[in-house]
Amino acid sequence: MASLKINGLNKVFPSGETALYDVNLEAADKEFLVFLGGDNSGKSTLLRIVAGLDDASSGTVEINGKDMTDVEPKNRDIAMVFKNNTLYPALNVFDNMAFGLRLRKAPEALVRERVKVAAEILGLNDSLYRKPKVLTAAAKQRVAIGRAIVREPKLYLFDEPLSGLDEKLRLDMLNVIINLQARLGGTFVYATKNLSEALTIGTRVVVLKDGFVQQIDTPANLYDYPANTYVAFAIGAPTVNFIKKVKIISADGGYCATFNGGEFRLPENIVSRFKNIADYADKDKYVTLGIRPEDAEISQEGQLKGKVSAVSGEEEKYAECDVNPDICLNVSTANDVEKGKEVNVFVDVSRLYIFDAVTCLTLLERDEGYTQTGLRDADFRPLPYDEEQSIKENSKPKKQQKKK
């Protein structure tokens, strides 16, 4: 199939605003790579540049080791499925799926053979001679996917193909795409804002925010070893808790993280990963602690005291506990608790995340629990928060001065 490499890619709009900044990544042959990000994160723009539908301001796109940066879309051997179905309403399902092959003047026997195979894979045999207007939303997306796979391209691109579908249809279509990738053995690059989708299908995930890559890694590595506070917050549900304005102090031959409302004695596994702890201990520098809700619970042996302000969840229950006016922790609870109850909160400090308060970058190095991928992306480090903000601020369109 195909490998994909993006090198030093930038996209600047005519207004001067930065859409993508210095993107470097790769997708290995037969990999399922996911671009994860919210609106205006750059994920769709990045896909369109790979497809050749948009031009990059600088940088290169390589497919199978060949520079495709200036190659016409039709010559890149790529198929793309868009978020909104782009079927031709006047054509039936068969002709919609056959359209791309016929456009390339493929022999009709080959067209019929490939459409038949794709229809079988996607469960469209009974709909081949129906018009798109009578199909369900999920069936329309199946047809759009079928139109892509009949061409047997080197690279498959998906731009939020399940947006707009309800939860059941979304899950059904997600299974279709997963099985499709396994059956075709193709290289899939998939853009979504849905965390569950990204973690379910991605062998690796590219986390994007405002055109900046935050981290590229496996779902498990993103969860356990987030590169910055944004990745820690974006990966995981319920979202991570943050305790800000935390100081590291020396105490009894070890270190404590102290804050308004409590302190944690840092265990050896955290201290050993905090290589530059001497730069923070007993200094006028703050850190931010990250605590997963599943790594904290209401317990009689808790290090912190709080009051329950809300309870959520059914099978897995979580309670929001106010430790002080500035700190509210969402923690797991095995028992029913009532709003307003005074409780103790136990935090598994061996699972703490620690970030610099200014740069928002992690201060903990990886340990033996980190799964190596062997790809260059794993060593990527995002920009410090203040540098990223400065670049974004400088790229904002300048407002025209009002005429006097």
Side-chain angles (χ1 to χ4, degrees), residues 42-335:
K43 59 186 185 298
S44 293
T45 301
L46 187 52
L47 274 186
R48 290 179 63 84
I49 290 174
V50 173
L53 301 176
D54 285 347
D55 294 327
S57 300
S58 61
T60 61
V61 175
E62 295 180 15
I63 300 174
N64 269 358
K66 295 182 179 179
D67 189 346
M68 293 288 181
T69 310
D70 298 318
V71 174
E72 290 293 319
K74 64 180 181 179
N75 297 323
R76 295 193 182 200
D77 203 7
I78 286 175
M80 187 165 180
V81 179
F82 297 89
K83 66 179 73 176
N84 299 316
N85 89 78
T86 54
L87 304 181
Y88 298 104
L91 302 182
N92 61 28
V93 169
F94 184 99
D95 290 334
N96 262 287
M97 292 172 65
F99 186 84
L101 286 175
R102 286 172 172 164
L103 192 65
R104 289 165 175 76
K105 303 187 183 304
E108 192 61 23
L110 177 64
V111 171
R112 292 189 175 278
E113 178 185 347
R114 288 193 181 177
V115 171
K116 180 181 178 181
V117 171
E120 181 71 31
I121 293 173
L122 294 167
L124 291 169
N125 283 334
D126 295 335
S127 305
L128 281 175
Y129 299 101
R130 296 177 181 176
K131 295 290 180 65
K133 66 180 180 181
V134 302
L135 302 179
T136 65
K140 290 177 182 177
Q141 281 302 82
R142 286 174 185 258
V143 178
I145 292 170
R147 189 169 60 188
I149 69 174
V150 295
R151 289 177 45 208
E152 298 184 1
K154 293 179 180 176
L155 197 61
Y156 298 84
L157 307 180
F158 295 81
D159 186 11
E160 296 189 64
L162 309 186
S163 63
L165 300 183
D166 63 37
E167 190 61 26
K168 184 180 183 307
L169 289 178
R170 181 187 291 269
L171 290 174
D172 289 344
M173 285 302 299
L174 200 60
N175 286 328
V176 168
I177 294 172
I178 292 171
N179 292 332
L180 189 64
Q181 198 266 347
R183 184 164 179 170
L184 297 176
T187 304
F188 281 33
V189 183
Y190 186 105
T192 181
K193 64 178 70 172
N194 187 289
L195 175 64
S196 178
E197 281 182 30
L199 300 186
T200 299
I201 63 180
T203 51
R204 290 185 304 132
V205 178
V206 181
V207 182
L208 287 158
K209 180 173 78 73
D210 299 332
F212 291 78
V213 175
Q214 305 296 313
Q215 192 170 349
I216 307 171
D217 221 322
T218 66
N221 285 343
L222 291 173
Y223 180 89
D224 290 326
Y225 302 90
N228 58 20
T229 54
Y230 181 81
V231 176
F233 184 82
I235 305 297
T239 54
V240 70
N241 300 290
F242 289 124
I243 299 179
K244 299 181 178 181
K245 292 187 176 180
V246 179
K247 283 195 171 183
I248 305 298
I249 63 169
S250 304
D252 301 324
Y255 298 94
C256 287
T258 66
F259 49 91
N260 181 23
E263 72 173 24
F264 297 129
R265 177 82 177 184
L266 297 182
E268 177 55 32
N269 75 303
I270 295 296
V271 173
S272 64
R273 295 174 58 201
F274 197 156
K275 296 301 184 182
N276 60 335
I277 194 169
D279 295 336
Y280 290 82
D282 307 319
K283 304 285 176 56
D284 191 23
K285 295 179 71 172
Y286 288 105
V287 301
T288 297
L289 301 182
I291 302 168
R292 297 282 184 194
E294 50 270 38
D295 294 331
E297 63 180 353
I298 293 175
S299 170
Q300 292 182 347
E301 305 300 322
Q303 308 102 317
L304 305 176
K305 295 185 180 297
K307 179 183 288 188
V308 176
S309 57
V311 180
S312 61
E314 295 180 2
E315 294 183 3
E316 295 182 359
K317 292 190 175 181
Y318 293 91
E320 294 180 16
C321 301
D322 294 327
V323 176
N324 64 42
D326 298 321
I327 300 175
C328 179
L329 300 181
N330 192 23
V331 305
S332 61
T333 175
N335 304 312

